[in-house]
Amino acid sequence: TSTRALTKLIGGLLALAAPLAVGAGTAVVHFDIQEQALSSALSEFARQCDRQIFFATELVGDKRIAPVKGEFEPTRALTMLLQGTGLTFKVISNDMILVRSANSEPTTTTRNYTPANYLQLAQAQTGDAPTQASASAAASGSGAEAHSGIEEEVVVEAFRARTATKTDVLLTETPQAISIVTAEEISSRGAIGLQEALRYTAGVRTEINGSDLRFDYFSSRGFSATDYLDGMVQPDSYNTARTDVYTLERVEVLRGPSSVLYGQGTAGGIVNSMTKRPRSQFGAEFGIEYGSNERKQAQFDITGALTESGTVSGRLVSVLRDSDNQFDFGRDDRTLVAPSLRFQPSDQTDITLLGMYQQDKAASVFAYLPLQATLEPIAGGRLPDDRFIGEPAHNRYDRKQSSGTLLLTHRFSDSLVFDGGMRYSRSSGFDGGIYGEIWNGVENPFEEGTTLLPRYRYDSKVRSQVLNTDNRLQWQVHTGSVEHNLLGGIDYSRIKYGSANAYEGGAPAIDVYAPVYGNGVIDAEMSPMAEQIAKQIGFYVQDHMRFGDATFVAGVRRDRVTTSLDGSPDQVDNATTFRVGLTYEIFDGVTPYVSYAESFIPTIGLDVHGNQFKPQEGTQYEVGVKWQPDRHTLLTLSGFDLTGSNRQQTDPEDGNNTIQTGEVSSRGFEFEAIRRLPDNYSVSLSYT
């Protein structure tokens, strides 16, 4: 059995080892294929003409072929190659070819299927159900993972995504700018956090406030971007632990308004991080890191089947870090354990459970220093960059978070699929600090004639409980020559925040040039913990249509958001958002697109007259073109006109009041190019 499984594995890998070329056309190719086994000849054919071939190892068996040499169109060469074998082929698209029995027809061909699904179609021609080993082999060779017929969207080449449409769609068929950063890219760039991972993404600005270990914060097209994990919204990063990039399979960035599929969110778009999932093939990685600021980290990632049949697989990811940071007395410690289980009782059902426990302990995470002692110092008076002006015994920033996630996919048929997820998470944190008083508006914060800096104490406690669920049905149907990918869904979230803080001015001053610690902590009383509960329910529908070389997407959503705050009446916001987009492949690999999208996010609170604030809204018009000349290259050029409305500003007639009259416009263009090179090299270029 192990030998047979190994044979299938090797056969599948050989089948999918050839690169995929998008838009290669029907040009004549020089072929030089020697007499050999059919399985290896097919792989050689795919390599020489830059196509991807799908076939079942049982189907080709031990068949051999005669040599094929000369200048031929690929389909002509493949016909010659299969002559006398009892096999034929079907061109799935201009880059994918399915080899099958000459006496049967595939039951379905859908361009949205992953490569592993095409292999399963090929295996179906043998009359036997696809085996676990073959499906897994297809996943490894194609850059997508699928087991027992269950589609999964882990794409190493990063030219497919689910974030933009919540379906598996080529980036070239997505009428909106989207970028993907894979786990391999995160690792090879040496990114230690999500902000570092997104540094090279077009339109995205990271580390806006400089180096800050407290939370992940980034903007897209001039607006803050909403943080998502596995398609479900994350609470404010101030209340939770930072996402550890070692737990991620990839990060997808959808730029611009995205409320039709995701509900309340900023006009800048969303950053959707996708966590690692169990795989049936065994794999393990162990790593030790040492770096600047005495950073010491151990990590491991192990996955594989837990039963002989492969229906149950597991994965365990863990990180243990002991680190200082750039400031004196700094800390950046982490303990993380993320177990997961995957259960596939049949070809139709896929159930995944994800768990996570994370505890972060940080200290001296930021230190705002006076301008007169840093950028504009007196002669010889510049402070060292690591100077700490707090109190080592008190300053800290700790976070603890745990979560459980259930993901379920059930395929009722080849055309009707249910996809759902639910996550519950809890987090708590404490922020204690003695800070320099540099916010008082005076030109020089030092006391006259001294180098003493006044200080104050500010502590805060936070806690949150979050319940998310998103459930949707996807139905593929044809009406004449139009292929519809219909999506209908409902999502619900309940986020409960609690916070308390303590403030006390007049902490003992510190000499920033000769600091003495130990007497700067003063008493401060913690205020009662106020609670806020935000509930959202949304209904959405979308139709992604394909006809010829064109695709058209249209969607609409209705949301209701209720926010409750201690001592205040409930605030209720209702919103309807729309989205439309069109792509058209004018010739091989070149696809212009145009789109319109909307967003909304509630604005909590009342003005001085007791009137409820309206939600902030965003609208975007976008045009662009995507060019994918081959499987390893993708270039995107986009132009956008983005407007955020109902922005808050101070009432010019009453300084104690806030009004909503402001708008923010962001217009510009972005260019992003990705090129995969041989020997595991890659090149990325972006300009905004």
Side-chain angles (χ1 to χ4, degrees):
T1 302
S2 60
T3 302
R4 189 161 55 250
L6 180 61
T7 301
K8 293 176 180 178
L9 175 62
I10 294 174
L13 288 172
L14 288 173
L16 298 173
L20 164 65
V22 176
T26 59
V28 172
V29 177
H30 177 74
F31 289 93
D32 186 1
I33 302 175
Q34 305 295 325
E35 180 181 354
Q36 58 188 295
L38 177 58
S39 59
S40 59
L42 288 173
S43 297
E44 183 64 20
F45 164 84
R47 186 190 67 80
Q48 292 185 19
C49 69
D50 206 18
R51 296 294 201 280
Q52 195 166 24
I53 295 287
F54 301 93
F55 63 91
T57 52
E58 298 94 332
L59 195 64
V60 300
D62 57 358
K63 296 181 175 67
R64 297 186 64 83
I65 58 94
V68 175
K69 297 182 180 181
E71 306 285 337
F72 306 103
E73 291 184 355
T75 53
R76 173 58 180 160
L78 186 54
T79 301
M80 297 169 61
L81 204 64
L82 296 177
Q83 189 172 359
T85 63
L87 304 177
T88 186
F89 64 90
K90 183 175 182 64
V91 177
I92 302 299
S93 67
N94 59 357
D95 46 58
M96 294 182 181
I97 300 175
L98 173 68
V99 175
R100 58 181 177 83
S101 171
N103 299 320
S104 60
E105 288 291 331
T107 56
T108 181
T109 55
T110 306
R111 288 175 62 185
N112 278 338
Y113 273 21
T114 61
N117 295 124
Y118 287 126
L119 180 59
Q120 290 155 13
L121 291 178
Q123 288 168 321
Q125 311 313 309
T126 66
D128 298 324
T131 63
Q132 183 83 17
S134 295
S136 298
S140 300
S142 67
E145 181 184 4
H147 305 294
S148 300
I150 302 300
E151 178 181 347
E152 187 175 339
E153 66 288 348
V154 179
V155 182
V156 175
E157 288 294 348
F159 294 150
R160 304 182 77 93
R162 293 181 64 90
T163 297
T165 62
K166 288 190 177 180
T167 59
D168 183 33
V169 173
L170 291 168
L171 297 190
T172 53
E173 295 182 352
T174 303
Q176 199 165 338
I178 183 169
S179 300
I180 298 177
V181 183
T182 66
E184 290 78 7
E185 290 172 315
I186 293 173
S187 176
S188 62
R189 293 172 181 175
I192 61 174
L194 196 55
Q195 296 192 85
E196 292 90 345
L198 297 177
R199 280 175 175 170
Y200 303 97
T201 303
V204 176
R205 184 182 177 197
T206 63
E207 300 153 306
I208 298 173
N209 296 321
S211 176
D212 195 335
L213 303 177
R214 293 175 298 170
F215 37 75
D216 293 314
Y217 183 71
F218 21 72
S219 69
S220 172
R221 294 183 172 176
F223 296 82
S224 61
T226 309
D227 193 13
Y228 276 73
L229 182 66
D230 294 319
M232 291 174 279
V233 69
Q234 289 273 76
D236 191 302
S237 60
Y238 181 78
N239 296 283
T240 60
R242 294 181 70 189
T243 300
D244 194 297
V245 293
Y246 189 67
T247 66
L248 301 181
E249 194 74 57
R250 70 189 185 281
V251 183
E252 300 183 357
V253 182
L254 180 62
R255 299 191 287 280
S258 310
S259 286
V260 165
L261 291 181
Y262 293 95
Q264 58 177 316
T266 60
I270 69 171
V271 175
N272 187 19
S273 302
M274 310 294 284
T275 54
K276 294 176 178 177
R277 314 289 172 83
R279 301 179 181 178
S280 61
Q281 286 181 293
F282 175 78
E285 175 183 275
F286 300 87
I288 297 176
E289 297 180 356
Y290 181 81
S292 304
N293 303 313
E294 296 296 322
R295 178 185 176 90
K296 301 173 287 292
Q297 178 167 307
Q299 58 196 32
F300 70 84
D301 177 7
I302 183 169
T303 186
L306 301 179
T307 60
E308 186 176 352
S309 63
T311 57
V312 180
S313 53
R315 192 164 191 165
L316 181 62
V317 180
S318 184
V319 174
L320 180 63
R321 181 169 70 238
D322 178 11
S323 178
D324 299 338
N325 62 38
Q326 72 184 66
F327 301 110
D328 290 339
F329 309 104
R331 296 175 62 191
D332 182 20
D333 302 343
R334 171 167 294 169
T335 301
L336 180 147
V337 180
S340 56
L341 286 173
R342 189 175 187 180
F343 177 48
Q344 299 166 274
S346 68
D347 292 353
Q348 288 75 39
T349 304
D350 189 354
I351 303 171
T352 301
L353 295 172
L354 306 171
M356 192 275 289
Y357 171 82
Q358 181 174 337
Q359 182 175 8
D360 292 351
K361 292 187 176 181
S364 307
V365 289
F366 71 98
Y368 295 115
L369 300 175
L371 184 70
Q372 290 76 12
T374 51
L375 295 181
E376 298 178 359
I378 60 175
R382 192 185 194 285
L383 288 176
D385 293 338
D386 57 1
R387 180 54 44 89
F388 175 58
I389 59 175
E391 287 295 328
H394 183 73
N395 285 57
R396 60 191 176 99
Y397 189 88
D398 298 342
R399 291 293 182 269
K400 184 183 295 184
Q401 183 174 355
S402 57
S403 66
T405 304
L406 169 66
L407 303 174
L408 170 62
T409 298
H410 182 73
R411 193 176 299 276
F412 296 98
S413 66
D414 290 333
S415 60
L416 184 63
V417 179
F418 170 82
D419 202 7
M422 180 174 66
R423 180 172 63 240
Y424 176 75
S425 65
R426 299 171 60 97
S427 63
S428 61
F430 177 78
D431 181 11
I434 303 295
Y435 305 106
E437 179 61 78
I438 60 173
W439 310 110
N440 52 19
V442 299
E443 182 177 346
N444 191 332
F446 298 126
E447 293 184 5
E448 184 177 356
T450 74
T451 56
L452 295 179
L453 181 68
R455 296 187 298 176
Y456 67 95
R457 174 178 176 174
Y458 181 81
D459 297 345
S460 67
K461 292 181 179 179
V462 293
R463 68 185 184 193
S464 67
Q465 301 177 41
V466 183
L467 175 65
N468 301 106
T469 181
D470 182 16
N471 302 280
R472 52 199 177 272
L473 274 175
Q474 180 182 349
W475 183 32
Q476 294 178 338
V477 63
H478 288 78
T479 55
S481 60
V482 180
E483 176 187 332
H484 298 265
N485 196 343
L486 297 168
L487 184 74
I490 175 173
D491 60 28
Y492 172 81
S493 67
R494 183 182 187 273
I495 303 177
K496 181 178 181 181
Y497 292 109
S499 63
N501 58 74
Y503 172 80
E504 187 66 42
I510 191 171
D511 189 329
V512 295
Y513 291 99
V516 176
Y517 306 105
N519 63 349
V521 180
I522 57 176
D523 292 335
E525 183 178 354
M526 191 70 70
S527 65
M529 184 166 284
E531 289 190 344
Q532 175 181 312
I533 299 176
K535 294 182 287 186
Q536 172 185 315
I537 186 168
F539 302 87
Y540 57 91
V541 292
Q542 175 186 269
D543 189 2
H544 190 273
M545 292 167 274
R546 181 181 293 108
F547 41 95
D549 294 323
T551 65
F552 179 76
V553 61
V556 61
R557 179 187 178 101
R558 180 67 175 177
D559 278 289
R560 179 180 177 86
V561 181
T562 304
T563 306
S564 303
L565 184 65
D566 285 350
S568 301
D570 288 355
Q571 177 173 327
V572 179
D573 294 289
N574 297 288
T576 302
T577 49
F578 298 91
R579 176 195 188 195
V580 292
L582 175 69
T583 72
Y584 185 79
E585 187 175 13
I586 55 177
F587 49 87
D588 286 348
V590 179
T591 308
Y593 70 91
V594 59
S595 65
Y596 170 81
E598 298 178 342
S599 68
F600 89 101
I601 187 167
T603 305
I604 307 302
L606 306 172
D607 64 17
V608 295
H609 305 294
N611 299 316
Q612 177 180 310
F613 291 125
K614 299 177 182 178
Q616 296 185 31
E617 299 175 345
T619 59
Q620 176 182 269
Y621 297 90
E622 181 176 341
V623 296
V625 60
K626 300 180 182 183
W627 180 37
Q628 191 171 25
D630 56 57
R631 101 170 269 206
H632 308 288
T633 308
L634 179 63
L635 293 86
T636 303
L637 176 63
S638 57
F640 59 89
D641 187 342
L642 176 57
T643 301
S645 58
N646 292 332
R647 306 287 289 189
Q648 291 179 298
Q649 66 181 52
T650 301
D651 188 344
E653 298 180 358
D654 183 354
N656 296 317
N657 188 29
T658 299
I659 58 177
Q660 289 183 288
T661 60
E663 285 190 349
V664 174
S665 295
S666 176
R667 302 182 182 93
F669 70 91
E670 299 161 346
F671 173 75
E672 186 172 67
I674 300 172
R675 172 67 178 174
R676 316 293 180 195
L677 301 174
D679 300 321
N680 292 325
Y681 287 96
S682 65
V683 175
S684 61
L685 172 68
S686 65
Y687 181 82
T688 304

